[in-house]
Amino acid sequence: MAASVQSVAKVLLRLTPSILQPLRIYQRLRPRASFSPVFPPSHTFCQAAALQEEGAAQAAQAAEALSRYREKPWAYLESEEFMEKYGSDPVWTGYRRNHKGGIPPQKTRKTCIRGDKICGNPCPICRDPNIIVHHQNVKLLEQFISPYTGMLFDPTKTGVCMKQQKKLTEAIDASRNHGFLSFQIPHVDFTKENYSNSHDAVGLTPPPPSLTSGESWYKWYDQITPDESEVAKVTTKYKAYLK
Ligand SMILES: [Zn+2]
């Protein structure tokens, strides 16, 4: 059986020397490389190269954008670019997080960018590299503060990830400390009575009537005449404590 296979191979070799000759030459040129006559189609390389180029272009664009607004993050909020993209609405309007099932998660995600990996559907701040949370970026911070309570919106409302939410809280605190943002203090109406000393509880205490009239404090105090022997007993008992 083996002999017959060999003979068949020999016949094939004789019949197709023109095909096998270039292969042998290739093997001789590159003896160590494992030879595989099946080549991957060339267009896959082209696609990969194109994708790489596209990614590099995007990265370059992002880097350029970052470098443009890194010094002045607030300039982006006033630029035409921003107005075209968001108009006069806050940056988080219309953002909806993708989630499984009908009930939205009770917390936003921890972070949208891990290393150089960006998740699908990143949060309103992470999706735009030009938006930089900074304590001088007052227009941006104002979009995340409720006009009624003066408090930072809940992340489930704005969709901002926990990492950016932490940055926002820190930036707002810093901004208030620097005087860029106003404090919201609850208004309390006060009555004059609470602060006047004419009120009975806070006014000057009048002297006791007994002191003014010259009488004793208790009416029976003057009428008592204690027994002499009893007084002597008490004084000897509490001699150490009496002076
Ligand atoms: Zn995020």
Side-chain angles (χ1 to χ4, degrees):
M1 188 66 190
S4 66
V5 169
Q6 273 185 353
S7 62
V8 168
K10 272 179 191 173
V11 170
L12 275 174
L13 277 173
R14 265 180 228 146
L15 283 174
T16 57
S18 57
I19 296 169
L20 291 174
Q21 195 61 29
L23 294 183
R24 280 196 201 125
I25 292 164
Y26 187 86
Q27 274 180 322
R28 216 178 298 148
L29 285 172
R30 305 182 67 185
R32 280 182 198 173
S34 59
F35 179 71
S36 65
V38 183
F39 288 102
S42 57
H43 63 86
T44 52
F45 289 124
C46 294
Q47 269 187 344
L51 278 174
Q52 270 187 351
E53 275 179 21
E54 208 174 289
Q58 277 183 352
Q61 274 186 352
E64 191 212 355
L66 276 177
S67 62
R68 233 189 315 149
Y69 291 108
R70 206 192 305 150
E71 301 297 323
K72 288 182 178 178
W74 50 90
Y76 177 59
L77 276 283
E78 288 154 5
S79 65
E80 287 179 13
E81 200 183 336
F82 181 85
M83 290 304 288
E84 273 178 27
K85 208 168 177 182
Y86 301 99
S88 54
D89 296 326
V91 291
W92 48 267
T93 39
Y95 174 78
R96 190 181 179 280
R97 188 182 163 188
N98 296 340
H99 59 81
K100 200 169 126 185
I103 302 162
Q106 299 300 296
K107 275 183 181 176
T108 53
R109 66 171 79 83
K110 265 191 174 178
T111 178
C112 308
I113 302 167
R114 282 196 172 84
D116 53 350
K117 275 187 182 177
I118 304 175
C119 69
N121 191 21
C123 76
I125 293 179
C126 293
R127 71 182 170 187
D128 194 341
N130 290 328
I131 293 177
I132 299 162
V133 178
H134 189 270
H135 71 269
Q136 287 186 42
N137 201 351
V138 180
K139 277 195 174 180
L140 178 73
L141 298 180
E142 277 174 348
Q143 296 181 356
F144 289 89
I145 294 173
S146 164
Y148 301 107
T149 60
M151 284 162 78
L152 187 59
F153 280 132
D154 197 74
T156 46
K157 180 182 171 73
T158 56
V160 172
C161 64
M162 300 311 271
K163 190 178 174 185
Q164 298 293 349
Q165 183 77 4
K166 195 181 171 188
K167 274 190 191 175
L168 277 173
T169 35
E170 285 169 0
I172 285 169
D173 281 350
S175 186
R176 284 188 173 141
N177 284 339
H178 282 78
F180 295 121
L181 270 179
S182 58
F183 283 90
Q184 191 102 353
I185 296 163
H187 177 74
V188 179
D189 273 323
F190 69 90
T191 54
K192 279 184 181 175
E193 274 180 23
N194 294 347
Y195 296 93
S196 72
N197 62 356
S198 64
H199 192 269
D200 285 343
V202 287
L204 283 171
T205 315
S210 58
L211 288 180
T212 49
S213 62
E215 289 171 6
S216 60
W217 195 278
Y218 302 108
K219 280 176 184 174
W220 44 263
Y221 195 79
D222 293 330
Q223 297 166 7
I224 290 174
T225 45
D227 192 13
E228 292 282 329
S229 59
E230 289 297 320
V231 172
K233 267 185 196 173
V234 170
T235 44
T236 46
K237 196 175 182 182
Y238 296 103
K239 200 178 180 181
Y241 306 101
L242 292 169
K243 285 182 181 176

PDB file of all heavy atoms in Angstrom, residues 26-55:
ATOM      1  N   TYR A  26      11.691  28.273  -3.158  1.00  0.00           N
ATOM      2  CA  TYR A  26      11.282  29.058  -1.987  1.00  0.00           C
ATOM      3  C   TYR A  26      11.782  28.379  -0.725  1.00  0.00           C
ATOM      4  O   TYR A  26      12.317  29.034   0.181  1.00  0.00           O
ATOM      5  CB  TYR A  26       9.751  29.159  -1.962  1.00  0.00           C
ATOM      6  CG  TYR A  26       9.226  30.068  -0.895  1.00  0.00           C
ATOM      7  CD1 TYR A  26       9.094  31.430  -1.125  1.00  0.00           C
ATOM      8  CD2 TYR A  26       8.873  29.576   0.358  1.00  0.00           C
ATOM      9  CE1 TYR A  26       8.629  32.270  -0.153  1.00  0.00           C
ATOM     10  CE2 TYR A  26       8.416  30.404   1.342  1.00  0.00           C
ATOM     11  CZ  TYR A  26       8.280  31.760   1.081  1.00  0.00           C
ATOM     12  OH  TYR A  26       7.800  32.594   2.073  1.00  0.00           O
ATOM     13  N   GLN A  27      11.614  27.024  -0.684  1.00  0.00           N
ATOM     14  CA  GLN A  27      12.050  26.284   0.510  1.00  0.00           C
ATOM     15  C   GLN A  27      13.551  26.421   0.708  1.00  0.00           C
ATOM     16  O   GLN A  27      14.034  26.502   1.827  1.00  0.00           O
ATOM     17  CB  GLN A  27      11.686  24.818   0.365  1.00  0.00           C
ATOM     18  CG  GLN A  27      10.262  24.548   0.834  1.00  0.00           C
ATOM     19  CD  GLN A  27       9.897  23.094   0.687  1.00  0.00           C
ATOM     20  OE1 GLN A  27      10.300  22.458  -0.302  1.00  0.00           O
ATOM     21  NE2 GLN A  27       9.135  22.564   1.627  1.00  0.00           N
ATOM     22  N   ARG A  28      14.289  26.418  -0.406  1.00  0.00           N
ATOM     23  CA  ARG A  28      15.739  26.515  -0.309  1.00  0.00           C
ATOM     24  C   ARG A  28      16.148  27.910   0.194  1.00  0.00           C
ATOM     25  O   ARG A  28      17.082  28.063   0.979  1.00  0.00           O
ATOM     26  CB  ARG A  28      16.370  26.280  -1.699  1.00  0.00           C
ATOM     27  CG  ARG A  28      17.685  25.528  -1.619  1.00  0.00           C
ATOM     28  CD  ARG A  28      18.212  25.289  -3.008  1.00  0.00           C
ATOM     29  NE  ARG A  28      17.306  24.462  -3.815  1.00  0.00           N
ATOM     30  CZ  ARG A  28      17.172  24.581  -5.147  1.00  0.00           C
ATOM     31  NH1 ARG A  28      17.867  25.481  -5.817  1.00  0.00           N
ATOM     32  NH2 ARG A  28      16.370  23.794  -5.810  1.00  0.00           N
ATOM     33  N   LEU A  29      15.399  28.904  -0.249  1.00  0.00           N
ATOM     34  CA  LEU A  29      15.727  30.270   0.162  1.00  0.00           C
ATOM     35  C   LEU A  29      15.436  30.493   1.661  1.00  0.00           C
ATOM     36  O   LEU A  29      16.199  31.130   2.358  1.00  0.00           O
ATOM     37  CB  LEU A  29      14.909  31.287  -0.654  1.00  0.00           C
ATOM     38  CG  LEU A  29      15.381  31.494  -2.092  1.00  0.00           C
ATOM     39  CD1 LEU A  29      14.377  32.347  -2.833  1.00  0.00           C
ATOM     40  CD2 LEU A  29      16.757  32.145  -2.125  1.00  0.00           C
ATOM     41  N   ARG A  30      14.288  29.948   2.097  1.00  0.00           N
ATOM     42  CA  ARG A  30      13.916  30.140   3.507  1.00  0.00           C
ATOM     43  C   ARG A  30      13.728  28.767   4.143  1.00  0.00           C
ATOM     44  O   ARG A  30      12.604  28.312   4.351  1.00  0.00           O
ATOM     45  CB  ARG A  30      12.622  30.938   3.609  1.00  0.00           C
ATOM     46  CG  ARG A  30      12.692  32.261   2.876  1.00  0.00           C
ATOM     47  CD  ARG A  30      11.409  33.023   3.042  1.00  0.00           C
ATOM     48  NE  ARG A  30      11.221  33.431   4.428  1.00  0.00           N
ATOM     49  CZ  ARG A  30      10.105  34.046   4.831  1.00  0.00           C
ATOM     50  NH1 ARG A  30       9.140  34.269   3.993  1.00  0.00           N
ATOM     51  NH2 ARG A  30       9.984  34.402   6.098  1.00  0.00           N
ATOM     52  N   PRO A  31      14.836  28.079   4.499  1.00  0.00           N
ATOM     53  CA  PRO A  31      14.708  26.705   4.977  1.00  0.00           C
ATOM     54  C   PRO A  31      14.080  26.610   6.370  1.00  0.00           C
ATOM     55  O   PRO A  31      13.424  25.641   6.685  1.00  0.00           O
ATOM     56  CB  PRO A  31      16.146  26.205   5.002  1.00  0.00           C
ATOM     57  CG  PRO A  31      16.989  27.439   5.105  1.00  0.00           C
ATOM     58  CD  PRO A  31      16.219  28.537   4.466  1.00  0.00           C
ATOM     59  N   ARG A  32      14.259  27.626   7.210  1.00  0.00           N
ATOM     60  CA  ARG A  32      13.782  27.508   8.594  1.00  0.00           C
ATOM     61  C   ARG A  32      12.284  27.797   8.703  1.00  0.00           C
ATOM     62  O   ARG A  32      11.598  27.252   9.555  1.00  0.00           O
ATOM     63  CB  ARG A  32      14.542  28.489   9.489  1.00  0.00           C
ATOM     64  CG  ARG A  32      15.904  27.952   9.861  1.00  0.00           C
ATOM     65  CD  ARG A  32      16.617  28.906  10.773  1.00  0.00           C
ATOM     66  NE  ARG A  32      18.038  28.639  10.799  1.00  0.00           N
ATOM     67  CZ  ARG A  32      18.922  29.400  11.406  1.00  0.00           C
ATOM     68  NH1 ARG A  32      18.528  30.502  12.001  1.00  0.00           N
ATOM     69  NH2 ARG A  32      20.199  29.103  11.401  1.00  0.00           N
ATOM     70  N   ALA A  33      11.783  28.684   7.879  1.00  0.00           N
ATOM     71  CA  ALA A  33      10.368  29.057   7.975  1.00  0.00           C
ATOM     72  C   ALA A  33       9.486  27.903   7.556  1.00  0.00           C
ATOM     73  O   ALA A  33       9.779  27.230   6.583  1.00  0.00           O
ATOM     74  CB  ALA A  33      10.097  30.255   7.087  1.00  0.00           C
ATOM     75  N   SER A  34       8.436  27.686   8.334  1.00  0.00           N
ATOM     76  CA  SER A  34       7.511  26.613   7.967  1.00  0.00           C
ATOM     77  C   SER A  34       6.720  27.081   6.763  1.00  0.00           C
ATOM     78  O   SER A  34       6.117  28.147   6.768  1.00  0.00           O
ATOM     79  CB  SER A  34       6.582  26.315   9.144  1.00  0.00           C
ATOM     80  OG  SER A  34       5.870  27.494   9.463  1.00  0.00           O
ATOM     81  N   PHE A  35       6.743  26.259   5.764  1.00  0.00           N
ATOM     82  CA  PHE A  35       6.164  26.689   4.492  1.00  0.00           C
ATOM     83  C   PHE A  35       4.682  26.386   4.429  1.00  0.00           C
ATOM     84  O   PHE A  35       4.257  25.277   4.734  1.00  0.00           O
ATOM     85  CB  PHE A  35       6.898  25.969   3.348  1.00  0.00           C
ATOM     86  CG  PHE A  35       6.345  26.344   2.015  1.00  0.00           C
ATOM     87  CD1 PHE A  35       6.549  27.603   1.495  1.00  0.00           C
ATOM     88  CD2 PHE A  35       5.575  25.441   1.297  1.00  0.00           C
ATOM     89  CE1 PHE A  35       6.024  27.954   0.281  1.00  0.00           C
ATOM     90  CE2 PHE A  35       5.050  25.795   0.087  1.00  0.00           C
ATOM     91  CZ  PHE A  35       5.275  27.063  -0.439  1.00  0.00           C
ATOM     92  N   SER A  36       3.893  27.372   4.104  1.00  0.00           N
ATOM     93  CA  SER A  36       2.460  27.117   3.896  1.00  0.00           C
ATOM     94  C   SER A  36       2.060  27.725   2.565  1.00  0.00           C
ATOM     95  O   SER A  36       2.223  28.928   2.369  1.00  0.00           O
ATOM     96  CB  SER A  36       1.650  27.730   5.027  1.00  0.00           C
ATOM     97  OG  SER A  36       1.781  29.126   4.996  1.00  0.00           O
ATOM     98  N   PRO A  37       1.570  26.887   1.682  1.00  0.00           N
ATOM     99  CA  PRO A  37       1.217  27.429   0.364  1.00  0.00           C
ATOM    100  C   PRO A  37      -0.040  28.290   0.378  1.00  0.00           C
ATOM    101  O   PRO A  37      -0.342  28.940  -0.601  1.00  0.00           O
ATOM    102  CB  PRO A  37       1.021  26.183  -0.483  1.00  0.00           C
ATOM    103  CG  PRO A  37       0.678  25.117   0.484  1.00  0.00           C
ATOM    104  CD  PRO A  37       1.347  25.447   1.770  1.00  0.00           C
ATOM    105  N   VAL A  38      -0.804  28.259   1.520  1.00  0.00           N
ATOM    106  CA  VAL A  38      -2.052  29.043   1.565  1.00  0.00           C
ATOM    107  C   VAL A  38      -1.730  30.442   2.106  1.00  0.00           C
ATOM    108  O   VAL A  38      -1.290  30.602   3.232  1.00  0.00           O
ATOM    109  CB  VAL A  38      -3.088  28.354   2.481  1.00  0.00           C
ATOM    110  CG1 VAL A  38      -4.389  29.139   2.469  1.00  0.00           C
ATOM    111  CG2 VAL A  38      -3.300  26.933   2.036  1.00  0.00           C
ATOM    112  N   PHE A  39      -1.939  31.434   1.273  1.00  0.00           N
ATOM    113  CA  PHE A  39      -1.709  32.814   1.707  1.00  0.00           C
ATOM    114  C   PHE A  39      -3.026  33.447   2.126  1.00  0.00           C
ATOM    115  O   PHE A  39      -4.043  33.191   1.501  1.00  0.00           O
ATOM    116  CB  PHE A  39      -1.115  33.638   0.549  1.00  0.00           C
ATOM    117  CG  PHE A  39       0.296  33.283   0.252  1.00  0.00           C
ATOM    118  CD1 PHE A  39       0.607  32.471  -0.837  1.00  0.00           C
ATOM    119  CD2 PHE A  39       1.321  33.744   1.060  1.00  0.00           C
ATOM    120  CE1 PHE A  39       1.909  32.148  -1.105  1.00  0.00           C
ATOM    121  CE2 PHE A  39       2.628  33.405   0.780  1.00  0.00           C
ATOM    122  CZ  PHE A  39       2.936  32.603  -0.308  1.00  0.00           C
ATOM    123  N   PRO A  40      -3.026  34.254   3.174  1.00  0.00           N
ATOM    124  CA  PRO A  40      -4.263  34.986   3.481  1.00  0.00           C
ATOM    125  C   PRO A  40      -4.536  36.018   2.390  1.00  0.00           C
ATOM    126  O   PRO A  40      -3.590  36.538   1.799  1.00  0.00           O
ATOM    127  CB  PRO A  40      -3.947  35.670   4.814  1.00  0.00           C
ATOM    128  CG  PRO A  40      -2.473  35.741   4.879  1.00  0.00           C
ATOM    129  CD  PRO A  40      -1.932  34.587   4.077  1.00  0.00           C
ATOM    130  N   PRO A  41      -5.796  36.270   2.126  1.00  0.00           N
ATOM    131  CA  PRO A  41      -6.091  37.243   1.066  1.00  0.00           C
ATOM    132  C   PRO A  41      -5.524  38.626   1.429  1.00  0.00           C
ATOM    133  O   PRO A  41      -5.529  39.034   2.586  1.00  0.00           O
ATOM    134  CB  PRO A  41      -7.621  37.268   1.020  1.00  0.00           C
ATOM    135  CG  PRO A  41      -8.079  36.660   2.284  1.00  0.00           C
ATOM    136  CD  PRO A  41      -7.007  35.713   2.732  1.00  0.00           C
ATOM    137  N   SER A  42      -5.043  39.290   0.425  1.00  0.00           N
ATOM    138  CA  SER A  42      -4.288  40.518   0.669  1.00  0.00           C
ATOM    139  C   SER A  42      -5.172  41.650   1.203  1.00  0.00           C
ATOM    140  O   SER A  42      -4.713  42.538   1.886  1.00  0.00           O
ATOM    141  CB  SER A  42      -3.617  40.969  -0.612  1.00  0.00           C
ATOM    142  OG  SER A  42      -4.609  41.151  -1.598  1.00  0.00           O
ATOM    143  N   HIS A  43      -6.504  41.572   0.931  1.00  0.00           N
ATOM    144  CA  HIS A  43      -7.338  42.726   1.322  1.00  0.00           C
ATOM    145  C   HIS A  43      -7.506  42.831   2.829  1.00  0.00           C
ATOM    146  O   HIS A  43      -7.810  43.907   3.344  1.00  0.00           O
ATOM    147  CB  HIS A  43      -8.697  42.671   0.610  1.00  0.00           C
ATOM    148  CG  HIS A  43      -9.527  41.493   0.960  1.00  0.00           C
ATOM    149  ND1 HIS A  43     -10.343  41.471   2.039  1.00  0.00           N
ATOM    150  CD2 HIS A  43      -9.660  40.272   0.359  1.00  0.00           C
ATOM    151  CE1 HIS A  43     -10.955  40.303   2.098  1.00  0.00           C
ATOM    152  NE2 HIS A  43     -10.551  39.557   1.089  1.00  0.00           N
ATOM    153  N   THR A  44      -7.297  41.671   3.580  1.00  0.00           N
ATOM    154  CA  THR A  44      -7.410  41.767   5.036  1.00  0.00           C
ATOM    155  C   THR A  44      -6.324  42.690   5.583  1.00  0.00           C
ATOM    156  O   THR A  44      -6.579  43.493   6.484  1.00  0.00           O
ATOM    157  CB  THR A  44      -7.283  40.385   5.696  1.00  0.00           C
ATOM    158  OG1 THR A  44      -6.107  39.777   5.225  1.00  0.00           O
ATOM    159  CG2 THR A  44      -8.483  39.532   5.412  1.00  0.00           C
ATOM    160  N   PHE A  45      -5.137  42.572   5.013  1.00  0.00           N
ATOM    161  CA  PHE A  45      -4.058  43.464   5.446  1.00  0.00           C
ATOM    162  C   PHE A  45      -4.431  44.917   5.174  1.00  0.00           C
ATOM    163  O   PHE A  45      -4.234  45.796   5.998  1.00  0.00           O
ATOM    164  CB  PHE A  45      -2.754  43.130   4.699  1.00  0.00           C
ATOM    165  CG  PHE A  45      -2.149  41.819   5.139  1.00  0.00           C
ATOM    166  CD1 PHE A  45      -1.884  40.823   4.223  1.00  0.00           C
ATOM    167  CD2 PHE A  45      -1.857  41.594   6.476  1.00  0.00           C
ATOM    168  CE1 PHE A  45      -1.327  39.621   4.630  1.00  0.00           C
ATOM    169  CE2 PHE A  45      -1.294  40.390   6.884  1.00  0.00           C
ATOM    170  CZ  PHE A  45      -1.036  39.399   5.948  1.00  0.00           C
ATOM    171  N   CYS A  46      -5.011  45.118   4.017  1.00  0.00           N
ATOM    172  CA  CYS A  46      -5.379  46.489   3.633  1.00  0.00           C
ATOM    173  C   CYS A  46      -6.386  47.067   4.610  1.00  0.00           C
ATOM    174  O   CYS A  46      -6.259  48.201   5.054  1.00  0.00           O
ATOM    175  CB  CYS A  46      -5.988  46.518   2.233  1.00  0.00           C
ATOM    176  SG  CYS A  46      -4.799  46.062   0.985  1.00  0.00           S
ATOM    177  N   GLN A  47      -7.389  46.201   4.977  1.00  0.00           N
ATOM    178  CA  GLN A  47      -8.428  46.672   5.901  1.00  0.00           C
ATOM    179  C   GLN A  47      -7.825  47.040   7.239  1.00  0.00           C
ATOM    180  O   GLN A  47      -8.113  48.107   7.791  1.00  0.00           O
ATOM    181  CB  GLN A  47      -9.471  45.574   6.109  1.00  0.00           C
ATOM    182  CG  GLN A  47     -10.629  45.658   5.126  1.00  0.00           C
ATOM    183  CD  GLN A  47     -11.700  44.657   5.475  1.00  0.00           C
ATOM    184  OE1 GLN A  47     -11.446  43.733   6.235  1.00  0.00           O
ATOM    185  NE2 GLN A  47     -12.879  44.835   4.903  1.00  0.00           N
ATOM    186  N   ALA A  48      -6.976  46.133   7.738  1.00  0.00           N
ATOM    187  CA  ALA A  48      -6.360  46.374   9.041  1.00  0.00           C
ATOM    188  C   ALA A  48      -5.568  47.674   9.019  1.00  0.00           C
ATOM    189  O   ALA A  48      -5.660  48.492   9.938  1.00  0.00           O
ATOM    190  CB  ALA A  48      -5.443  45.210   9.397  1.00  0.00           C
ATOM    191  N   ALA A  49      -4.823  47.851   7.921  1.00  0.00           N
ATOM    192  CA  ALA A  49      -4.006  49.063   7.798  1.00  0.00           C
ATOM    193  C   ALA A  49      -4.900  50.304   7.795  1.00  0.00           C
ATOM    194  O   ALA A  49      -4.616  51.301   8.466  1.00  0.00           O
ATOM    195  CB  ALA A  49      -3.190  48.997   6.521  1.00  0.00           C
ATOM    196  N   ALA A  50      -6.026  50.190   7.056  1.00  0.00           N
ATOM    197  CA  ALA A  50      -6.949  51.335   6.971  1.00  0.00           C
ATOM    198  C   ALA A  50      -7.527  51.662   8.348  1.00  0.00           C
ATOM    199  O   ALA A  50      -7.611  52.830   8.742  1.00  0.00           O
ATOM    200  CB  ALA A  50      -8.075  51.014   5.999  1.00  0.00           C
ATOM    201  N   LEU A  51      -7.923  50.578   9.077  1.00  0.00           N
ATOM    202  CA  LEU A  51      -8.489  50.779  10.407  1.00  0.00           C
ATOM    203  C   LEU A  51      -7.479  51.445  11.330  1.00  0.00           C
ATOM    204  O   LEU A  51      -7.812  52.365  12.078  1.00  0.00           O
ATOM    205  CB  LEU A  51      -8.921  49.428  11.003  1.00  0.00           C
ATOM    206  CG  LEU A  51     -10.283  48.911  10.542  1.00  0.00           C
ATOM    207  CD1 LEU A  51     -10.520  47.513  11.073  1.00  0.00           C
ATOM    208  CD2 LEU A  51     -11.401  49.839  11.029  1.00  0.00           C
ATOM    209  N   GLN A  52      -6.224  50.937  11.222  1.00  0.00           N
ATOM    210  CA  GLN A  52      -5.167  51.516  12.054  1.00  0.00           C
ATOM    211  C   GLN A  52      -5.011  52.999  11.753  1.00  0.00           C
ATOM    212  O   GLN A  52      -4.924  53.826  12.658  1.00  0.00           O
ATOM    213  CB  GLN A  52      -3.840  50.804  11.784  1.00  0.00           C
ATOM    214  CG  GLN A  52      -3.637  49.599  12.702  1.00  0.00           C
ATOM    215  CD  GLN A  52      -2.263  49.009  12.548  1.00  0.00           C
ATOM    216  OE1 GLN A  52      -1.530  49.387  11.647  1.00  0.00           O
ATOM    217  NE2 GLN A  52      -1.930  48.083  13.426  1.00  0.00           N
ATOM    218  N   GLU A  53      -5.006  53.304  10.459  1.00  0.00           N
ATOM    219  CA  GLU A  53      -4.848  54.712  10.052  1.00  0.00           C
ATOM    220  C   GLU A  53      -5.984  55.570  10.601  1.00  0.00           C
ATOM    221  O   GLU A  53      -5.777  56.671  11.107  1.00  0.00           O
ATOM    222  CB  GLU A  53      -4.835  54.813   8.521  1.00  0.00           C
ATOM    223  CG  GLU A  53      -3.452  54.584   7.933  1.00  0.00           C
ATOM    224  CD  GLU A  53      -3.484  54.667   6.417  1.00  0.00           C
ATOM    225  OE1 GLU A  53      -4.425  55.261   5.879  1.00  0.00           O
ATOM    226  OE2 GLU A  53      -2.571  54.111   5.793  1.00  0.00           O
ATOM    227  N   GLU A  54      -7.196  54.977  10.506  1.00  0.00           N
ATOM    228  CA  GLU A  54      -8.371  55.717  10.984  1.00  0.00           C
ATOM    229  C   GLU A  54      -8.261  55.986  12.488  1.00  0.00           C
ATOM    230  O   GLU A  54      -8.491  57.100  12.954  1.00  0.00           O
ATOM    231  CB  GLU A  54      -9.617  54.870  10.722  1.00  0.00           C
ATOM    232  CG  GLU A  54     -10.880  55.682  10.517  1.00  0.00           C
ATOM    233  CD  GLU A  54     -12.032  54.793  10.123  1.00  0.00           C
ATOM    234  OE1 GLU A  54     -12.037  54.277   8.986  1.00  0.00           O
ATOM    235  OE2 GLU A  54     -12.907  54.596  10.969  1.00  0.00           O
ATOM    236  N   GLY A  55      -7.878  54.920  13.221  1.00  0.00           N
ATOM    237  CA  GLY A  55      -7.720  55.048  14.671  1.00  0.00           C
ATOM    238  C   GLY A  55      -6.671  56.080  15.010  1.00  0.00           C
ATOM    239  O   GLY A  55      -6.881  56.923  15.892  1.00  0.00           O
TER     240      GLY A  55
END
